[in-house]
Structure formats: C-alpha cells, structure tokens
Amino acid sequence: MRDAYLIGTGQSPYGSYPNESYRSLFQTAYEAATDSVDNGIDSDEIDEAFVGMISIGGRQLGLSAPAVTEHVGLHGIPTTRVENACAASGSAVRHAVQAVQSGMADVALAGGVESMTDLSSDTTRYWFGVSGETEWERMAGTTFSGVYAQIASAHMEAYGTTREQLSQVAVKSHSNGAKNPKAHLGFECSLEQAEGAPTIADPLTLYHCCPTSDGAAAVLVASEDVAAEYTDRPVRIAGVGAAGDGVGLFQRESYTNLPATRKAGQQAYKMAGVGPDDVDFAEVHDCFSIAEILAYEDLGFCEPGEGGQLIADGVTTLEGDLPVNTSGGLKSKGHPIGATGAGQLVEAFDQLRGEADDRQVEDARCGLTHNVGGSGGAAVVHVLESPEEMEVSA
C-alpha cells in the first residue's frame, strides 16, 4: 500500500452559530483546508470525499455528504456520508486514507460538520441520544452524561480516582482552549470553579462535560506519489486503527475501560511501528473528563487505574511530558459531533509542522488522535509523524 499524507487542514470556529447552515460551516472548513496547502490545490484535483455527520435535528438525512461537497464546488466526485456517532469524521479520515493507500484516489477530502444549536435543547437531546443504545438505555431515559457518570463512579470505586482529578482534566483543557481562537469555551477555569459547578450527573459537574457546539473540519489526504507536488512539509499518517464494541454499557464486561479504544490503539501503533512511549502529544476524545482519564489508560500512556494520578502529576499539561488535548479538547474547544475527529487531525497537523502558536509542543515528532463514538461503541486512532521523520517522493 502507498503511504498517505496530510497536505492541508482547516476548520471553522466552534461555538453557537444558529444563523449558519451546515453547508456554510463546511465551506469555511473546506476553504481553510485548501488555503493551507503550501503550493495550492484546485477542486478538480480532489478525487473523492468522505464527510462525517449525524445531522442533528434530522436535517438532510439522505445525501447529506454530496449536499455539502456540491455546495463547495466539488462537482461530480464520489462522495460518501460516514455516520459513526461522535467518531464519524475520524472514521471519514480512515476511509480517505484507505482510498489513497489502495490507489483509488491520489487526493481525498475527509471532514465533518454539525449544526446543533439552532434547535430546542429537547430536540437536540433527542437526536444526540440516537447514538446511545436505544432499547435499554435511551428509551429508558438514560442520557450520555448519565452513562459517563456511571463510568466515572465505577472507576472511582475500582481505583480511587477522585472528583478533584476529574476537575484537573477540565482545568488543563480550559487552559489550553484559552489559547485557541477557534475554541467554543475559550476561557480558563479554576479548580474551585470546576469542583463547585452544578452537578449534571453525579459525580460529574458542569465543568466535567463538553458543550453542544456547531462547527466543521476538513483535511486533505494525498498519496506518496503526489504529496510533494502540494507541499514539502506533509504530515505522514503512519498508523490507523479502528474497532467497535457493544453500544450499551450493559453489553460490556467492565465499565472502567473502552475495549474499542484499546484495539484501535494497538492496530495504529502496530501499523506505525511505534508504541505509547513514542507519542509526543495526543488529542483524545474527552466528551466528559472521565473519558480522558480512560483514554490515558486504554491508549497505554499509563497502567489501568493510574489515569487520575497522571493528570494529578501534571504529565498531560502543555508543559508536561505528554501534553494531551492541546487544542482544548472537546471540553473547551467544543464538540460539533460530526466534525470532532477531523478537527483533532487539524491540531495534530499544526503541532507536527510547528504551527500551533502558543499551544506548540516543543520538538513534536509523533502525534496521536483518538475519536470515540457514543460511550465506546466505536473508536478510531491515527498516529502521525512530522515532516522531519520521512522522505517524500518528488
């Protein structure tokens, strides 16, 4: 298989934009991605597109992907909508990589978009809830915050994880997000604010939960045969992994880990020829603070049960040995469901090219992105290498 590279990435601001359509949000991200290609790219050079979205509120459920690609001027190319709950655009990137590696495309577009704030909270909650297990969880009244509260409670009981450690995740993420001009909640918070915020689902407070966001993200994936035509600083997608699991918590043996993340991470590490110790920074799926702690453990950054101590010791802060969610993560940057996974690669691209401004990780050579669907029914992991780590065919 041919190697695949990121040659350009872009995203819209994340936040509340009720007057923006999902088409216009995607256009903002697409234009930012094409503008970021060092040597430029024309729309007729893009061979295929994959777009992740749930379509909150039931808007354009059928043919929603060509609805956005035609809007941005990608006329006639094969376009596929990818639905994998919150892992939709991470999965879309995986499909684009596969298309390039197989030779079906030289350049593929992958991205995602979601409009979530132009409807009532009840309507949004209903459509968001369809990503949970329907019969035994959603129809019984369980929300995602309730599901992750059960996960947090189980982790606390099994390993002694504390609510203060959950709050430390939030404080760290907001500190990073305050440096990100695209972040939905781009402000810092104190430990006291996170601890004292209203309880959403015990033990989770408001600051332990990500916001409902509008936004879009897009990335351009090119083969090794053509990457150098577009830039002399492409980012290699060295490893890709994906896995699924039971959609409902009751279908799993344990509440304290996500098997899909573990399997996806192992696949990505093996393909890239690296291990957790080689990762310089990571963007992980922190829809709730406990999800970030689980990711530390499931991705091999620490042993099971040690995730709370990892954040307590400052390892995952911007100044730590393994910065996590330098973008602010879902918690501060925001979580427009269909855009989140691709948005993680936007941050990784910037970090590996040394273009992350005040959030820059020193000497970043290997990055990882981790995108989860629902409460662990799907997971996608990408391992990426900086331009200095490879040679690109001219």
Side-chain angles (χ1 to χ4, degrees), residues 27-53:
Q27 182 169 11
T28 298
Y30 171 74
E31 291 177 351
T34 55
D35 288 346
S36 75
V37 177
D38 293 330
N39 299 334
I41 187 169
D42 294 328
S43 59
D44 60 5
E45 297 174 86
I46 298 172
D47 302 312
E48 191 162 357
F50 302 89
V51 183
M53 67 180 82

Side-chain angles (χ1 to χ4, degrees), residues 317-332:
T317 64
L318 191 58
E319 300 76 22
D321 291 338
L322 178 62
V324 173
N325 287 341
T326 57
S327 69
L330 285 63
K331 176 63 200 73
S332 175

Side-chain angles (χ1 to χ4, degrees), residues 165 168-169 172 293 296 307-317:
Q165 291 167 343
Q168 288 169 332
V169 172
K172 181 265 302 173
I293 289 176
Y296 298 163
Q309 195 59 47
L310 204 70
I311 182 66
D313 291 342
V315 174
T316 59
T317 64

